[in-house]
Amino acid sequence: MSLWFTEKQTDAFGITMKVKQTLETKQTDFQKLDMVETEEWGNMLLLDDMVMTSERDEFVYHEMISHVPLFTHPNPKHVLVVGGGDGGVIREVLKHPSVEKAVLAEIDGDVIESSKKFLPSIAGMLEDPRVEVKVGDGFMHIAKSENMYDVILVDSTEPVGPAVNLFTKGFYAGISKALKEDGIFVAQSDNPWFKADLIQTVHRDVKEIFPITKLYTANIPTYPSGLWTFTLGSKTYNPLENQRTAAIDTKYYTKDLHVASFVLPKFVEDLTK
Amino acid sequence: MSLWFTEKQTDAFGITMKVKQTLETKQTDFQKLDMVETEEWGNMLLLDDMVMTSERDEFVYHEMISHVPLFTHPNPKHVLVVGGGDGGVIREVLKHPSVEKAVLAEIDGDVIESSKKFLPSIAGMLEDPRVEVKVGDGFMHIAKSENMYDVILVDSTEPVGPAVNLFTKGFYAGISKALKEDGIFVAQSDNPWFKADLIQTVHRDVKEIFPITKLYTANIPTYPSGLWTFTLGSKTYNPLENQRTAAIDTKYYTKDLHVASFVLPKFVEDLTK
C-alpha cells in the first residue's frame, strides 16, 4: 500500500508526501497530533493536519527564529520560548554560551513527549540543566512575567486552536512587559503568498509597541509557499546595526544572511508599509 | 467533480492544486503540453507534467532571471533568451530602454502559441518590434553565434527531454563565444533541496569558462522546494560591484534584493565551494 499525506495549505493548494508509517496518532487536550515517518523529510510532526517540523528541514526555522535575535542582543542570558514543544528552538538557543536559562512554555505536554520519543535530534536538548520546561499557557506565563527576559521567541502554530491568543495586541504588550528594558522578541508570522493580511496585522500591532519592528524571511520547503516570515520587535537593539558574530555550528544561518534575510521581495516589503 | 493536479517533484513529495478546467492538452513534437486553469495560481503551463509558469507567481522567476544580469551590464543592447517560450523573460528584458533587440530561441513553437492564447499577460510582449522569435534549437543557435550578445538568459526546463543539451560544458562554451567580450549569462539551475548535485555541476562547469561565476536565489512557490537558484557567469562585470539602478516596475526585484539574493543559506553556499 502506498500512503500519501496531503496538507491542504489553502482550499485549492497543498503539498503531498509519501508516508512510510504512522508512528503515533492521538487527540491531545488541545489538538490532533500525528507523528509520521516520511520518505522525503524523515520523521515529521503534524498538528491538526499541518506540518510543524521535520527532521530534514527543521534546521531552517529553528536557526532563523533563534540566531537573528540572539546575535542582535549583546548578552542574552534569559530566554523564553513560547510554544516550541518539539525543542528545536531551545536547541539553537543553547548554542549561545551567554544563555544561563531557557524557559519553554508549551501548552501541550503531549507535543513534548512525542517529540522526545520520535524527534530526538530536535528535542534532545530539552533535558539540558539550563532548560526549564513549563507545560502551560504561554499567554498566562507572559502575563505574570515582568522585566525578566532578554529574548522571547514565539514558536506558535497558526492563529487557530490553542495559538489564537498569541496573535493579539494584548499578547505583544505582555511580551514587552515580560522583557527587560533592552529586550527583543521574534514571532513566526506565516507566509506572504497566502497570509498577507496576517503579516500586515502582526507588523502593525508589534510596531505600536516596539520602537524597532522588522520583518525577515527564510525558505522552509514544507511550509506553505516555502517563504516564511518572522516579525522582530526590539526595544533598543537594531538587528542591522547591533549584530554580534561568533563561531556557531549552523546549516542555514550565516552572519551575512543575518542581514540579507531582512531584504524583502517588493511585494513583501509593501506589507510592512 | 473536484479535479486536482499533482506534480511529483520527487519520488516521495509533490505539490497538488485544484484545477477548474483544462484549457489545452497536446503532445507537441518535443513534450507533453497542458494548459490548465487553477484556482490558486490562475492559468498555468505544464510541460511533461511539470509546472513551468503560472499567472500568479510568474513574476518572481521572470524578474529575477532578467533584472539581475541586465542591471549588472552597463548598457545591454542585444539579448538572447534560450527557451522561455511563454514570453515572460522577454517581457522583463524589454523593460530596459537600452535593449534594441531581444531574440527568443525556443525549440517548441507550440509553447509560444499556447502561451499567446492562454497567458496573454506573460506572452503579450512577444509581438513587440524589438523581438525576433526563432523557433528552433537554442543549442544550435548558440553554436553559430559569435560575439553577438550582451546578455544571454537560459530559461530552460529541467535537464530532461529537449533541455538536456543546455546543461553541458559544451553549451556554456558556446554561450561564451556567442557573448561579446564583456557579456553576461544566467541559467536557471534548479533547487538545492532536491537537486544539489545539479547546482554543484553547473557551478563547477560555468566557473571553468567564466571568470565571475555566482549563484543567487529567489522564492518561487510553485517550483520544487520553493527555493530556486540561478547561476550567473560573467566575463567582466561583477553583479555585486557593477550594479546599475533605474526606475522599473517590478513586484519582486528591488535594488537591495539584487545584492541580497546572492547571500546564500550555508548549505547552499557550500554547493559552490
Side-chain angles (χ1 to χ4, degrees):
Chain A
M1 186 174 60
S2 177
L3 283 177
W4 288 68
F5 162 71
T6 299
E7 177 185 339
K8 279 180 69 174
Q9 298 174 332
T10 74
D11 288 341
F13 183 72
I15 56 172
T16 187
M17 65 199 84
K18 205 167 180 178
V19 171
K20 286 185 186 173
Q21 61 172 321
T22 301
L23 300 165
E24 185 175 14
T25 181
K26 72 189 294 187
Q27 183 65 45
T28 76
D29 291 343
F30 301 94
Q31 52 208 341
K32 183 165 169 279
L33 181 158
D34 293 280
M35 189 70 75
V36 292
E37 183 188 355
T38 71
E39 206 167 292
E40 190 65 57
W41 305 102
N43 289 359
M44 175 180 272
L45 171 67
L46 309 172
L47 295 177
D48 289 336
D49 288 327
M50 290 179 284
V51 175
M52 289 298 115
T53 199
S54 87
E55 288 178 321
R56 185 172 167 204
D57 78 338
E58 55 91 8
F59 66 92
V60 182
Y61 179 92
H62 294 137
E63 290 181 12
M64 289 302 281
I65 197 173
S66 306
H67 299 313
V68 172
L70 283 159
F71 275 129
T72 298
H73 195 289
N75 188 27
K77 289 180 181 170
H78 298 139
V79 178
L80 171 66
V81 179
V82 178
D86 57 55
V89 179
I90 289 288
R91 183 195 62 201
E92 295 304 316
V93 164
L94 294 180
K95 288 181 180 173
H96 293 258
S98 64
V99 172
E100 295 167 1
K101 189 171 183 180
V103 177
L104 181 81
E106 163 64 55
I107 201 166
D108 193 339
D110 284 320
V111 171
I112 298 171
E113 292 317 309
S114 188
S115 299
K116 282 183 179 173
K117 193 165 173 190
F118 296 110
L119 302 170
S121 64
I122 304 177
M125 294 301 282
L126 289 174
E127 308 289 351
D128 189 276
R130 289 165 289 176
V131 178
E132 181 182 351
V133 175
K134 287 174 182 281
V135 176
D137 186 342
F139 190 91
M140 293 308 295
H141 180 79
I142 288 284
K144 62 190 189 205
S145 302
E146 201 168 333
N147 192 31
M148 196 174 283
Y149 297 106
D150 299 303
V151 176
I152 295 177
L153 304 174
V154 183
D155 175 13
S156 69
T157 58
E158 282 193 69
V160 290
V164 73
N165 284 330
L166 307 184
F167 288 83
T168 61
K169 251 191 263 192
F171 183 59
Y172 305 135
I175 282 178
S176 178
K177 183 175 63 66
L179 283 170
K180 291 184 184 157
E181 70 286 354
D182 60 351
I184 304 174
F185 109 99
V186 171
Q188 72 85 4
S189 45
D190 222 303
N191 82 88
W193 287 93
F194 309 135
K195 295 290 179 67
D197 289 354
L198 179 72
I199 292 172
Q200 283 185 301
T201 305
V202 170
H203 195 84
R204 193 190 56 220
D205 291 349
V206 171
K207 205 172 175 178
E208 281 184 23
I209 295 168
F210 288 86
I212 297 162
T213 300
K214 291 188 185 296
L215 194 71
Y216 64 96
T217 68
N219 162 259
I220 305 174
T222 60
Y223 280 10
S225 88
L227 182 62
W228 214 248
T229 73
F230 301 90
T231 300
L232 179 146
S234 179
K235 294 184 180 182
T236 305
Y237 308 115
N238 186 323
L240 302 177
E241 292 164 8
N242 302 89
Q243 182 189 4
R244 277 189 305 120
T245 58
I248 190 175
D249 183 34
T250 61
K251 285 191 275 188
Y252 193 93
Y253 178 93
T254 70
K255 67 179 172 52
D256 292 334
L257 202 67
H258 177 112
V259 176
S261 66
F262 287 92
V263 181
L264 306 172
K266 184 165 187 309
F267 79 106
V268 183
E269 196 182 344
D270 288 345
L271 300 177
T272 67
K273 283 172 183 169
Chain B
M1 186 175 59
S2 176
L3 282 179
W4 288 68
F5 162 71
T6 300
E7 177 185 338
K8 280 181 69 175
Q9 299 175 332
T10 73
D11 287 342
F13 183 72
I15 56 173
T16 186
M17 66 199 83
K18 206 168 179 176
V19 171
K20 287 184 185 173
Q21 60 173 321
T22 301
L23 301 165
E24 186 176 13
T25 181
K26 72 189 294 187
Q27 183 66 44
T28 76
D29 290 343
F30 300 95
Q31 50 209 341
K32 183 165 167 279
L33 181 158
D34 293 279
M35 188 70 75
V36 292
E37 183 188 356
T38 71
E39 206 167 293
E40 190 66 57
W41 305 102
N43 288 359
M44 176 179 270
L45 171 67
L46 310 172
L47 295 178
D48 288 337
D49 288 327
M50 290 181 283
V51 176
M52 290 298 115
T53 198
S54 86
E55 288 179 321
R56 186 172 167 206
D57 78 338
E58 55 91 8
F59 66 91
V60 182
Y61 179 92
H62 294 137
E63 290 182 11
M64 290 302 281
I65 197 173
S66 305
H67 300 312
V68 173
L70 283 159
F71 274 129
T72 298
H73 195 288
N75 188 27
K77 289 181 181 172
H78 298 138
V79 178
L80 170 66
V81 179
V82 178
D86 57 55
V89 179
I90 289 287
R91 184 195 60 202
E92 295 304 315
V93 164
L94 294 180
K95 288 182 179 172
H96 293 258
S98 65
V99 171
E100 295 168 1
K101 189 171 184 181
V103 177
L104 181 80
E106 163 64 56
I107 201 167
D108 193 340
D110 285 320
V111 171
I112 298 171
E113 292 317 309
S114 187
S115 300
K116 282 183 178 173
K117 191 165 175 191
F118 296 109
L119 301 170
S121 65
I122 304 176
M125 294 301 281
L126 288 175
E127 308 290 350
D128 190 276
R130 289 166 288 176
V131 178
E132 181 183 352
V133 175
K134 287 175 182 284
V135 176
D137 186 342
F139 190 91
M140 293 309 294
H141 181 79
I142 287 285
K144 62 189 187 204
S145 302
E146 200 167 333
N147 192 30
M148 196 174 282
Y149 297 106
D150 299 302
V151 176
I152 296 177
L153 305 173
V154 182
D155 175 13
S156 68
T157 58
E158 283 192 69
V160 289
V164 72
N165 283 331
L166 307 185
F167 288 82
T168 59
K169 251 191 264 190
F171 183 59
Y172 306 134
I175 283 178
S176 178
K177 183 176 61 68
L179 283 170
K180 292 183 185 158
E181 71 286 354
D182 61 352
I184 305 175
F185 108 100
V186 172
Q188 73 86 4
S189 45
D190 221 304
N191 81 87
W193 287 92
F194 308 136
K195 295 289 179 66
D197 288 355
L198 179 71
I199 292 173
Q200 283 185 300
T201 305
V202 170
H203 193 85
R204 193 190 56 221
D205 290 350
V206 171
K207 205 173 175 178
E208 282 184 22
I209 295 168
F210 288 88
I212 297 161
T213 300
K214 290 190 185 294
L215 194 71
Y216 64 98
T217 68
N219 162 259
I220 304 173
T222 60
Y223 279 10
S225 89
L227 182 63
W228 213 247
T229 74
F230 301 90
T231 300
L232 179 147
S234 179
K235 294 185 181 181
T236 305
Y237 308 114
N238 186 324
L240 301 177
E241 291 164 10
N242 302 90
Q243 184 189 1
R244 276 189 306 120
T245 60
I248 189 173
D249 183 35
T250 60
K251 287 190 274 189
Y252 193 94
Y253 178 92
T254 70
K255 67 179 172 53
D256 291 336
L257 202 67
H258 177 112
V259 177
S261 67
F262 288 91
V263 180
L264 305 173
K266 184 165 186 310
F267 79 105
V268 183
E269 196 182 345
D270 288 346
L271 300 177
T272 68
K273 282 170 182 169

